[in-house]
Amino acid sequence: LFLGGGSGIGMYLRFAAIEVVPINYNSRAMTWTLAGGCLAAFAGPEAGQAVVGKFGEGDATTNNLYYLGIFVVTACFNVAQILFVALIKFPPPPQMQISKQKDEIDERQDDELPAGEEQAQSNHETSFREFLSLLRQSDFLLPVAVGGLAWAIMAMPMSICRVAMMSLGYTPRQSLTVIECHFLGMYAP
């Protein structure tokens, strides 16, 4: 829950930073947000490494809770992120253009307006149908597929990188430095 929520929020902070400042401060907002990512490139892995094995004795082969500390630290970082984002006063969203389909549905509803719960049910069904039609559009499916593929191409090798490096004789410190440099490379440019 925390990892998904934190990832969902974290990936869009740089765009949110631009939206909440006057236009002449956009570059500064982006710079400060990415600078935070550069700090997090080291703070996250170092904090995770510091708590490995803190929930019990032994090593990963004898202790089922050996890596629990990493998940606890991740949850703490994500809760902090949620709290900080909650403090931001976002401007109201601009008026959305109403599609022709929505106009046609509204015109039909004006002719025969159901009362009370029937009206709410009708609006819910209309919203659900619009959502389903969005999911079927190639303008939606292609970016989702490409994004998922790109994430898998990056995440799969990086998730086993430390294990592979340690099996080749590198120390945990060296493999952690590689991960930190990878994270730094995501934000520094």
Side-chain angles (χ1 to χ4, degrees):
L1 176 66
F2 291 115
L3 184 59
S7 296
I9 293 169
M11 297 295 177
Y12 297 103
L13 283 179
R14 65 187 87 176
F15 305 116
I18 291 174
E19 291 180 12
V20 298
V21 298
I23 194 129
N24 54 332
Y25 288 105
N26 280 356
S27 61
R28 286 185 183 172
M30 178 73 74
T31 300
W32 280 106
T33 304
L34 294 177
C38 292
L39 291 174
F42 296 99
E46 291 296 334
Q49 185 66 33
V51 296
V52 168
K54 297 296 182 192
F55 288 88
E57 300 292 323
D59 61 8
T61 58
T62 60
N63 181 2
N64 291 338
L65 302 177
Y66 189 73
Y67 293 108
L68 180 63
I70 295 173
F71 291 99
V72 171
V73 166
T74 301
C76 290
F77 279 143
N78 289 331
V79 167
Q81 179 182 7
I82 290 167
L83 293 174
F84 285 125
V85 170
L87 296 174
I88 298 171
K89 295 195 183 331
F90 289 98
Q95 288 288 11
M96 303 296 284
Q97 291 183 348
I98 300 173
S99 68
K100 290 180 183 177
Q101 181 183 12
K102 177 89 169 125
D103 287 339
E104 293 172 4
I105 291 169
D106 288 343
E107 288 174 7
R108 281 184 273 156
Q109 287 180 346
D110 287 342
D111 295 333
E112 295 181 18
L113 272 179
E117 291 181 18
E118 294 174 4
Q119 175 68 32
Q121 180 69 19
S122 175
N123 288 342
H124 178 71
E125 288 174 6
T126 300
S127 297
F128 187 69
R129 277 184 279 162
E130 288 176 354
F131 178 71
L132 287 179
S133 69
L134 170 71
L135 294 179
R136 292 184 190 118
Q137 295 177 9
S138 63
D139 290 346
F140 174 78
L141 293 175
L142 183 60
V144 167
V146 170
L149 178 64
W151 184 263
I153 289 171
M154 187 274 306
M156 285 183 176
M158 290 312 299
S159 63
I160 62 166
C161 177
R162 291 195 69 197
V163 174
M165 287 184 69
M166 288 175 21
S167 71
L168 292 172
Y170 291 95
T171 66
R173 175 78 254 163
Q174 290 170 325
S175 65
L176 185 66
T177 302
V178 168
I179 295 296
E180 290 171 346
C181 290
H182 169 78
F183 290 154
L184 180 64
M186 290 169 42
Y187 291 99

